[in-house]
Amino acid sequence: MTKKTKPTKDMVVNIKIYDKEQIITNCSYDDDKLNKDLCEFIISKTKKINFSENIKLNFFNYTKLEKKEIKSTIHKHFEEEYKNAKDELKKSNFFVMVMFVLGMITFSILIACYNVFNNFYLEMIIEIAAWFFIGDALDTFVVERTNLQVKCLQMQKISCAEINIFDAK
């Protein structure tokens, strides 16, 4: 019995290059040479990518840039963006764990206050603090972490994109 798989779709982004500065910035001396406008353009065009889609970047080259240089610049830039997004995701996960643990500790202190003290105001302040910690952990886990996961997927898809360069002279 063979398993049927859906054919993968490709998201195609067509880009015209009339000038070297459209791809490579003149100001950068480090490894990241990709033009900021081109980077933002590619990200905006691939924002609504599905998990099953692959990305194809078609460049129509009206300059004398080498194909290898264009491909390596784009791959390096988006690999770095992917690593940065993964680091943000790790920091977010750590923040969620810390806030959740602080919430649990604060709830434990609240239970101790119920049993030891009979101070309504102190108990109310500790309860508010505990719910703040838990609420912030939940908000970060649900909203921010989800956005970071989508960003990681997008950057990974772009960094692994098939890049086609056509000489359009």
Side-chain angles (χ1 to χ4, degrees):
M1 187 184 273
T2 59
K3 190 175 185 180
K4 292 184 179 181
T5 58
K6 292 182 182 178
T8 58
K9 297 184 239 172
D10 289 333
M11 175 181 276
V12 179
V13 179
N14 294 316
I15 303 164
K16 293 180 185 177
I17 307 168
Y18 291 108
D19 193 10
K20 180 181 178 180
E21 285 78 28
Q22 283 181 284
I23 297 253
I24 299 170
T25 183
N26 288 333
C27 302
S28 180
Y29 280 105
D30 58 0
D31 290 341
D32 190 13
K33 302 184 295 185
L34 189 66
N35 186 314
K36 195 176 199 177
D37 293 334
L38 177 62
C39 176
E40 290 173 3
F41 176 77
I42 293 171
I43 290 172
S44 70
K45 289 292 185 182
T46 59
K47 203 141 201 102
K48 306 249 187 229
I49 191 166
N50 292 328
F51 290 107
S52 62
E53 287 182 319
N54 293 321
I55 297 175
K56 277 188 179 180
L57 300 174
N58 293 331
F59 287 91
F60 297 93
N61 188 7
Y62 291 91
T63 66
K64 293 182 181 184
L65 281 173
E66 291 187 30
K67 294 177 181 182
K68 190 176 183 180
E69 184 178 14
I70 294 171
K71 287 182 181 184
S72 68
T73 300
I74 290 170
H75 283 301
K76 280 181 187 177
H77 176 80
F78 285 106
E79 284 173 6
E80 189 64 34
E81 289 284 329
Y82 173 68
K83 289 176 187 173
N84 292 341
K86 283 293 261 192
D87 289 343
E88 284 182 54
L89 187 60
K90 288 177 185 176
K91 289 176 188 175
S92 175
N93 289 340
F94 180 73
F95 177 77
V96 166
M97 287 188 290
V98 167
M99 292 302 276
F100 186 75
V101 167
L102 286 174
M104 291 295 109
I105 291 170
T106 311
F107 271 122
S108 300
I109 292 169
L110 179 64
I111 291 171
C113 281
Y114 278 138
N115 294 330
V116 176
F117 304 112
N118 196 11
N119 188 337
F120 176 75
Y121 298 110
L122 179 64
E123 291 169 359
M124 189 58 82
I125 292 170
I126 294 173
E127 186 175 358
I128 290 170
W131 282 115
F132 169 77
F133 288 130
I134 297 296
D136 205 24
L138 184 64
D139 176 57
T140 301
F141 184 78
V142 172
V143 178
E144 290 179 30
R145 187 171 171 268
T146 304
N147 291 337
L148 287 172
Q149 285 178 324
V150 169
K151 183 179 178 182
C152 279
L153 172 70
Q154 182 186 19
M155 293 304 127
Q156 183 181 31
K157 291 276 190 177
I158 296 172
S159 70
C160 297
E162 178 183 333
I163 298 175
N164 300 312
I165 301 171
F166 305 104
D167 288 325
K169 291 185 177 183

